[in-house]
Amino acid sequence: MSDTTPECENTDQKNLVSCADNIVRYTICTPVDPDEAVRLSTVGKKHLDDGEASFVLIDLHQSTEFSSAARKIWVDFLQNEKIKKTAFFGGNVFVKTLATFVIAATGKKDIKFFNTEEEALAWFKE
């Protein structure tokens, strides 16, 4: 993990959102219910609307659950036309499956799943 990606252990196990280097970074540490999905998407949308980012990076390494309602909120957020590319990485088989559903539901071709953060960041530079 890069030095710019927040660690969940440092924040009492809260989901984190940060913005740096034209990337909105999410580190998912706790289950995401609809209220949390709205909070996370609202913060991300503000960074996009303010012109601070055009890429979204989602770390699922410590993720355990995304509710169905939360996934619908994320699909809506990830369809934002200001997002050039979105990359998911990490997570167990269950979480990867949920991410695959989100990716498919967006209908966008510029959303991919990667095994590592480094692969995702390299794709952003292409």
Side-chain angles (χ1 to χ4, degrees), residues 3-125:
D3 292 336
T4 59
T5 303
E7 297 273 353
C8 294
E9 295 83 24
N10 296 333
T11 61
D12 299 323
Q13 295 298 311
K14 293 180 183 175
N15 295 312
L16 304 172
V17 185
S18 63
C19 184
D21 303 322
N22 200 29
I23 301 170
V24 176
R25 294 174 180 261
Y26 291 93
T27 304
I28 307 301
C29 308
T30 63
V32 178
D33 62 17
D35 290 340
E36 180 65 352
V38 167
R39 181 187 76 84
L40 294 171
S41 64
T42 299
V43 173
K45 185 176 183 316
K46 181 173 179 353
H47 290 300
L48 295 168
D49 289 346
D50 290 348
E52 299 170 344
S54 53
F55 298 99
V56 174
L57 182 66
I58 304 169
D59 179 352
L60 298 174
H61 274 101
Q62 299 178 63
S63 177
T64 57
E65 181 183 335
F66 264 86
S67 74
S68 176
R71 291 192 303 271
K72 290 177 185 173
I73 292 164
W74 272 75
V75 167
D76 183 56
F77 167 67
L78 294 174
Q79 289 175 325
N80 187 312
E81 62 187 28
K82 294 179 181 173
I83 300 174
K84 289 182 182 177
K85 292 182 179 180
T86 299
F88 289 83
F89 72 96
N92 61 36
V93 172
F94 175 71
V95 172
K96 287 180 182 180
T97 301
L98 295 178
T100 301
F101 290 138
V102 169
I103 290 168
T106 66
K108 293 177 77 174
K109 295 181 181 184
D110 54 358
I111 300 178
K112 294 186 179 185
F113 197 94
F114 296 89
N115 289 321
T116 68
E117 178 181 6
E118 291 74 21
E119 291 170 340
L121 292 173
W123 179 62
F124 284 165
K125 294 176 183 175

